């Protein structure tokens, strides 16, 4: 089964908790704090493995969670950081943040890596909080939660040239003859249900990757037929090979086929037409093919090369593949772009900083304090020690939470909720 688009959930490992501990040595009174820091949580890393061809493995495992860092220990021993969780992906994988659709990374080269979800830093032990005013603090931090997000993986095949055309024009047959690939070939439309790849050997030391894409039909860019979901694989190809049935065996006009396919490519992404094109006039061993080819040449742009071929007799195939190879050598790689994007200029904008907290009041009279900064501070506070609780209260006051609650009308004894925990407000 060919899978080229999946959604997965990734979460970096949480950092280890810091330790509250003190030195206890013979003849050393009041030895001081000795609590170590927690270790860093594991990053979730995607790594390209050229041995993979599809995203099939992600159909069965869609959650990837990094390991937590070790907690700090006594005698100022820091916890061990967790090693990265490496997830293998095929070359040509585009990773998007599902929440906003932005591209996180584009993985194309074998061995290339990218951190998709960073692990949280380890919490600090009480040694870090020692001051002249408080030389023996009972304060430590919990580890920072790891980054978590849902991402969409999209595979765009890394082929040098791609075969496009209507169903049953001979694309799969052509691929089977010029490469060692064994695509399914049958006399009905949409025999090819998934892209097929093969390596074309032009001569010794010269080769390129050729992709056979499922047949396109009119309206494919709008979702008709099978071709729509596979149009993305044409984006990375350097050369487009139009396979046109010159025999007219399907009752269609060859020139009409050619123009319709170009319209679908243009509708999907305008820049696809910037790629060099070669026309493979297939089925030249059939009756009426020569006559149809002459009419086709009169209508077509004379600068576009046309190669009469027959996969059955293998006539013209060597010339076609040699010409495609020469075009690949002189054509640069096309950068992966979003459809409809006109330029690649970096535009820098100053975004308004997100408010550190938001206060709302429920119908039952409870005041809710929420926001990423407040919630992170809450998660990293160790509430087992009174000093840590007092530090948490000071930090909230410093952020302006107390003043904001008073503006909302909070009074002595009212309930304040942060996440799933409730506190009694005291001024």
């Amino acid at each position: 089964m060919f899978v080229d688009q999946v959604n997965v959930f990734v979460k970096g490992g949480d950092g280890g908790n810091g330790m509250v501990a003190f030195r206890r040595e013979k003849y050393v009174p009041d030895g001081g704090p000795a609590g170590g820091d927690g270790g860093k949580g594991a990053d979730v890393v995607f790594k390209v493995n050229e041995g993979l061809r599809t995203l099939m493995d992600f159909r069965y495992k869609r959650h990837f969670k990094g390991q937590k860092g070790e907690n700090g220990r006594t005698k100022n021993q820091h916890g061990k950081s967790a090693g990265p969780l490496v997830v293998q992906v095929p070359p040509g994988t585009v990773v998007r943040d599902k929440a906003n659709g932005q591209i996180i990374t584009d993985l194309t080269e074998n061995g290339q890596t990218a951190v998709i979800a960073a692990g949280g830093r380890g919490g600090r032990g009480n040694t870090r909080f020692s001051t002249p005013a408080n030389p023996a603090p009972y304060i430590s931090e919990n580890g920072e939660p790891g980054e978590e997000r849902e991402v969409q993986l999209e595979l765009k095949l890394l082929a040098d040239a791609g075969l496009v055309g209507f169903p049953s024009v001979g694309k799969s047959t052509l691929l089977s003859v010029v490469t060692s690939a064994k695509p399914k070939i049958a006399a009905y439309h949409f025999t090819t249900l998934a892209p097929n790849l093969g390596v074309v050997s032009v001569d010794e030391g010269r080769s390129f990757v050729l992709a056979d894409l499922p047949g396109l039909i009119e309206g494919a860019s709008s979702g008709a037929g099978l071709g729509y979901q596979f149009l993305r694989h044409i984006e990375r190809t350097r050369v487009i090979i139009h396979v046109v049935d010159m025999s007219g065996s399907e009752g269609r006009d060859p020139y009409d086929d050619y123009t319709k396919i170009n319209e679908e490519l243009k509708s999907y992404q305008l820049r696809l037409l910037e790629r060099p094109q070669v026309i493979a006039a297939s089925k030249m061993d059939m009756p009426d093919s020569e006559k149809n080819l002459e009419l086709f040449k009169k209508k077509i742009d004379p600068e576009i090369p046309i190669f009469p071929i027959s996969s059955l007799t293998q006539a013209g195939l060597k010339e076609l593949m040699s010409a495609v190879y020469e075009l690949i050598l002189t054509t640069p790689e096309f950068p992966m772009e979003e459809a409809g994007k006109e330029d690649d200029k970096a535009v820098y904008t100053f975004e308004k900083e997100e408010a550190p907290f938001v206060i709302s009041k429920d119908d039952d009279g409870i005041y809710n304090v929420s926001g990423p900064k407040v919630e992170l501070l809450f998660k990293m506070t160790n509430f087992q020690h009174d000093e840590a609780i007092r530090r948490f209260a000071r930090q909230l006051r410093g952020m302006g939470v107390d003043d904001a609650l008073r503006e909302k009308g909070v009074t002595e004894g009212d309930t304040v909720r942060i996440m799933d925990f409730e506190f009694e407000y005291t001024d």
Side-chain angles (χ1 to χ4, degrees):
M1 178 184 266
F2 184 86
V3 179
D4 64 353
Q5 195 167 18
V6 292
N7 295 327
V8 299
F9 175 81
V10 292
K11 183 184 186 306
D14 297 339
N17 298 333
M19 179 79 174
V20 172
F22 296 91
R23 291 173 59 199
R24 290 177 175 84
E25 296 181 30
K26 195 173 183 181
Y27 308 123
V28 183
D30 302 324
D37 300 344
K40 183 182 179 296
D43 296 332
V44 179
V45 177
F46 282 11
K47 183 176 181 180
V48 177
N49 181 350
E50 64 183 357
L52 299 177
R53 184 170 163 266
T54 79
L55 300 172
M56 185 67 185
D57 292 345
F58 295 95
R59 290 290 294 269
Y60 306 106
K61 184 176 181 182
R62 299 196 179 210
H63 285 73
F64 298 90
K65 186 176 179 180
Q67 189 177 358
K68 181 183 176 182
E70 281 189 4
N71 294 335
R73 287 179 280 186
T74 58
K75 299 182 182 179
N76 284 320
Q77 296 179 19
H78 297 334
K80 183 180 178 182
S81 296
L85 171 61
V86 179
V87 181
Q88 308 281 348
V89 297
T93 301
V94 180
V95 185
R96 299 175 191 272
D97 191 323
K98 197 180 177 201
N100 54 30
Q102 290 184 343
I103 294 176
I104 299 170
T105 185
D106 182 15
L107 300 166
T108 56
E109 299 177 7
N110 185 43
Q112 184 181 352
T113 61
V115 177
I116 306 303
R121 71 170 178 85
R124 292 175 289 179
N126 67 332
T127 304
R128 301 288 190 182
F129 297 97
S130 177
T131 64
N134 185 10
Y138 278 85
I139 301 173
S140 68
E141 284 181 333
N142 292 333
E144 180 185 21
E147 187 179 9
E148 60 181 78
R149 55 171 33 142
E150 192 167 2
V151 296
Q152 183 182 68
L153 307 186
E154 188 178 34
L155 178 62
K156 297 183 179 182
L157 292 181
L158 293 174
D160 299 307
L163 299 171
V164 299
F166 271 76
S168 298
V169 295
K171 299 188 298 298
S172 296
T173 306
L174 174 60
L175 182 75
S176 69
V177 172
V178 298
T179 74
S180 297
K182 304 295 180 189
K184 183 179 179 181
I185 300 170
Y188 57 84
H189 287 190
F190 301 117
T191 309
T192 303
L193 298 175
N196 293 299
L197 286 176
V199 178
V200 178
S201 179
V202 180
D203 52 42
E204 188 174 351
R206 303 203 307 167
S207 61
F208 64 91
V209 179
L210 181 64
D212 162 33
L213 302 167
L216 299 174
I217 62 172
E218 192 174 6
S221 61
S222 303
L226 288 176
Y228 166 69
Q229 57 184 310
F230 300 115
L231 273 167
R232 68 173 70 95
H233 299 300
I234 306 174
E235 289 183 45
R236 295 191 191 273
T237 59
R238 299 194 198 184
V239 178
I240 294 176
I241 305 174
H242 276 269
V243 183
V244 183
D245 180 5
M246 282 298 157
S247 68
S249 58
E250 296 282 326
R252 298 190 307 266
D253 176 54
Y255 179 75
D256 192 39
D257 280 7
Y258 172 74
T259 55
K260 283 178 179 177
I261 294 299
N262 263 342
E263 280 300 315
E264 294 310 316
L265 297 181
K266 180 181 176 182
S267 298
Y268 178 72
Q269 188 182 130
L270 189 62
R271 293 204 64 180
L272 285 179
L273 297 185
E274 295 178 10
R275 288 154 175 68
Q277 296 186 3
V278 172
I279 297 174
S282 69
K283 302 185 182 181
M284 290 304 296
D285 53 291
M286 301 279 285
D288 298 328
S289 294
E290 291 289 346
K291 181 177 71 175
N292 291 337
L293 180 58
E294 291 304 315
L295 294 173
F296 184 83
K297 285 181 177 178
K298 292 177 182 178
K299 299 176 182 178
I300 205 76
D301 184 346
E303 293 186 2
I304 300 176
I306 302 175
F307 292 88
I309 63 165
S310 169
S311 299
L312 183 66
T313 64
Q314 299 192 14
L317 297 184
K318 188 174 182 180
E319 293 81 359
L320 170 64
M321 294 302 138
S322 296
V324 170
Y325 181 77
E326 294 302 324
L327 273 175
I328 290 169
L329 291 181
T330 57
T331 305
E333 287 188 27
F334 286 83
M336 204 275 305
E337 294 192 36
E338 295 294 274
K341 200 175 184 182
E342 295 183 358
D343 56 54
D344 54 359
K345 292 180 182 177
V347 179
Y348 296 94
T349 57
F350 290 95
E351 296 182 359
K352 189 176 180 181
E353 188 177 354
E354 189 177 2
F357 61 88
V358 176
I359 296 177
S360 60
K361 187 177 181 182
D362 291 346
D363 295 335
D364 55 4
I366 295 177
Y367 292 85
N368 281 300
V369 181
S370 60
K373 291 186 178 179
V374 169
E375 290 174 6
L376 179 60
L377 180 62
F378 179 82
K379 290 175 182 176
M380 295 186 69
T381 299
N382 184 348
F383 289 96
Q384 294 180 351
H385 302 287
D386 291 340
E387 277 191 45
I389 295 172
R390 288 196 292 271
R391 177 174 177 264
F392 176 69
R394 289 196 302 271
Q395 288 174 308
L396 288 185
R397 192 175 299 116
M399 293 170 65
V401 174
D402 286 15
D403 294 337
L405 282 169
R406 289 192 202 97
E407 289 177 10
K408 286 283 185 180
V410 72
T411 58
E412 188 85 18
D414 283 348
T415 303
V416 178
R417 181 187 292 134
I418 300 178
M419 298 182 68
D420 295 330
F421 294 85
E422 296 180 355
F423 306 88
E424 185 178 313
Y425 178 79
T426 55
D427 206 342

